[in-house]
Amino acid sequence: MTEPLKRRIGLGLLTAYGVGVMVGAGIYVLVGAVVAEAGTLAPFSFLLAGLIAAPTALSYAEFSSRLPEAAGEAAFVGQGLSSPRLAIFVGLSVVLAGTISAGAVLRGGAGYFAAATGISPDIAILAMGIALTAVAVLGVLESFALVAVFTAIEIAGLALVIWAGFGAEVTQDWSTAAPAITALAHPAVLTGVSFGAVLAFFAFIGFEDIVNMAEEVRHPTRVMPRAIMLSLAITSVVYALVCWAAVRAVPLQDLAQSQSPLTLVWQVTQGGNAHFLSGIAVFAALNGVLAQIVMASRVLFGLGRRTATLHVFRQTHHRFGTPVRATVLIGGAVVAAAYLVPLSQLAEMTSTTLLAVFILVNLALILQKRRAPEASFRVPMLVPVVGLLLSLGAFSTAIAGML
C-alpha cells in the first residue's frame, strides 16, 4: 500500500536520534586508535574531524530545507548534479555503508552481551537483530523513543568516564605537549594528526542520517537544519571532553594498545572491573543498529520513488505507517553482515564511502545555489566550497591510509 510516512517526530527526538547515531559504540574503541596515530595531540584529531564535518553538516542543513525527502543524499545529488543515475548510486552506497557498519556494530554488541550473559554470540546476534527489526517495523515514534533512552544511557556512561578522567591525578608529562603543538606544521606530526582525524571522523558519522527522516518530521524545513547542527554541536563537546579526559588520566601507550580504552580510564582512575561500561557498550551497539536500520530503510523507501526497480520498497504498512518491506530487508541484511563481515578496517571503509558522498553533496549544493539561491535556510557559498575542499582532503588521506 503506497501511503505517505507519518509525521510524528519533533526537534527533541530528531536531535536525540542524531546524537544517538554519532555517540555510538565507535567512541568506546576509537580513542585508543586515534591516540596510536596522534599521541598527545589526539584531541586535535577529534577537533579536526569535527571541523571537517561542520561545513558539510551546514550543507546538509540547507539541502534538507530545500528537499525534505527520504533518501536525502540521493535527492540532493540528483537535483544538484542533474543525474538520476548518480542519485540512485549514492542512495545505494548510503544503504550499503549503513548496513555493513550496523552489522559490525551488532556483532560487537552481541559479543559484549554474550560475555556478560554466557549466551552464544551467534544466538545473540539473531535475537538482537530480530528484536530491533521488529521495533523498527512497529513505528518511527517507538523507534525514536527507544533510541532516546539508549542515547541517555550512553551519555551517562561517557559522563562517568569524563568525571573519572578529570578527577584523577594527571599521568601524562604535558611538557611534551607544547613542543608537539608548535610542531603541528611539521609533515610527520601533521600526518599523524590527519590520520587520527580520519579515524575520529568515523565517530562523527550520523548527522547525515537525519536528512533521511525528513518525511516523518513535523515542519521539516525548520526542524531539520536545527537538529543537524544541535546534534553535531552536542557530540563535538562530548567527544572533546572524553578524549581529553582519557589522554589526561592514562599513559598514551596503554591507551593506544587497549581494545577498551574508556574501560581502562575507569580502571586506572577508580579501580574495579568497570563491567557497567561493557553493559553501556551493549546499549550503544543496540542504539547504532536500530538507528541504521531505520535510516537505511527510509533511503530504500525514497529510492522507490526514483526507479521502478526499487518501487516495491515504496510501500508503507496501513497501521504502523512504516516501510515494512524495506525495514525487513535491511534488518535481515544487517544480521547477515554481522555473521559474515570482518570488523577490520571498518572505520576507514565506512568513512571513505561517506566522504565520497559528502564530496558529491557539497558539489551539488554549490551548483544548486548558483541556479536557485533562495532557500528557507541558507548558508554562504563559502560553506559548501570549504566543505568540498575539506572532504576532498580527508578522502585523499583516507585512501592513502588504506593503500
Side-chain angles (χ1 to χ4, degrees):
M1 184 176 183
T2 303
E3 294 182 356
L5 297 170
K6 296 182 179 180
R7 296 190 180 277
R8 305 173 68 189
I9 304 303
L11 177 61
L13 282 179
L14 189 61
T15 302
Y17 171 81
V19 173
V21 176
M22 285 189 279
V23 184
I27 189 60
Y28 285 85
V29 297
L30 279 179
V31 169
V34 174
V35 167
E37 294 287 351
T40 308
L41 299 180
F44 283 91
S45 290
F46 277 96
L47 176 61
L48 180 58
L51 290 174
I52 292 171
T56 298
L58 285 168
S59 294
Y60 270 77
E62 176 169 332
F63 247 140
S64 70
S65 70
R66 289 175 177 267
L67 294 169
E69 299 181 17
E73 292 98 336
F76 304 162
V77 171
Q79 183 171 100
L81 300 181
S82 303
S83 175
R85 291 185 178 180
L86 185 58
I88 294 170
F89 176 78
V90 166
L92 291 177
S93 296
V94 171
V95 170
L96 181 61
T99 300
I100 292 177
S101 62
V105 171
L106 177 60
R107 183 174 173 178
Y112 276 112
F113 184 78
T117 63
I119 295 175
S120 167
D122 290 341
I123 295 176
I125 287 173
L126 184 61
M128 293 164 66
I130 291 175
L132 292 173
T133 302
V135 172
V137 166
L138 286 176
V140 68
L141 187 60
E142 292 77 5
S143 299
F144 272 48
L146 189 57
V147 165
V149 171
F150 288 163
T151 300
I153 293 172
E154 291 178 57
I155 295 295
L158 294 177
L160 287 173
V161 172
I162 293 168
W163 170 79
F166 282 99
E169 294 184 2
V170 178
T171 61
Q172 305 294 352
D173 179 7
W174 288 97
S175 65
T176 62
I181 293 173
T182 60
L184 267 174
H186 190 279
V189 176
L190 186 59
T191 298
V193 172
S194 298
F195 281 140
V198 171
L199 288 173
F201 181 80
F202 180 73
F204 285 91
I205 289 173
F207 68 83
E208 76 284 354
D209 290 349
I210 293 175
V211 302
N212 296 307
M213 307 307 302
E215 294 183 35
E216 292 162 283
V217 174
R218 297 190 296 269
H219 312 297
T221 57
R222 184 178 76 247
V223 170
M224 300 283 288
R226 294 179 182 179
I228 290 172
M229 300 315 301
L230 278 173
S231 60
L232 184 62
I234 292 169
T235 305
S236 298
V237 171
V238 171
Y239 284 171
L241 291 174
V242 167
C243 189
W244 188 9
V247 171
R248 181 182 184 277
V250 180
L252 296 180
Q253 184 176 0
D254 295 341
L255 275 177
Q257 294 177 349
S258 176
Q259 297 298 313
S260 304
L262 301 193
T263 299
L264 183 61
V265 173
W266 185 269
Q267 291 172 333
V268 168
T269 59
Q270 305 298 314
N273 52 33
H275 283 328
F276 74 95
L277 283 176
S278 295
I280 291 174
V282 173
F283 284 106
L286 293 174
N287 201 11
V289 173
L290 178 57
Q292 292 297 325
I293 290 175
V294 172
M295 178 278 296
S297 62
R298 270 56 181 184
V299 176
L300 276 182
F301 176 85
L303 291 177
R305 177 192 292 126
R306 297 178 172 275
T307 172
T309 305
L310 300 175
H311 186 70
V312 66
F313 299 115
R314 186 72 186 177
Q315 297 186 6
T316 58
H317 192 275
H318 69 282
R319 178 181 175 186
F320 304 135
T322 56
V324 174
R325 291 181 180 177
T327 303
V328 171
L329 175 65
I330 295 298
V334 167
V335 171
Y339 284 120
L340 301 175
V341 177
L343 297 177
S344 60
Q345 299 182 332
L346 173 69
E348 293 90 340
M349 291 171 57
T350 306
S351 295
T352 302
T353 300
L354 290 178
L355 281 168
V357 173
F358 290 172
I359 290 169
L360 292 174
V361 168
N362 280 299
L363 179 59
L365 182 58
I366 292 171
L367 298 176
Q368 187 64 22
K369 286 173 74 69
R370 290 175 63 87
R371 288 193 294 261
E374 296 301 320
S376 60
F377 176 88
R378 289 182 295 171
V379 298
M381 178 65 83
L382 182 63
V383 169
V385 171
V386 172
L388 174 63
L389 295 176
L390 288 175
S391 297
L392 280 168
F395 180 79
S396 300
T397 301
I399 294 296
M402 294 173 64
L403 296 178

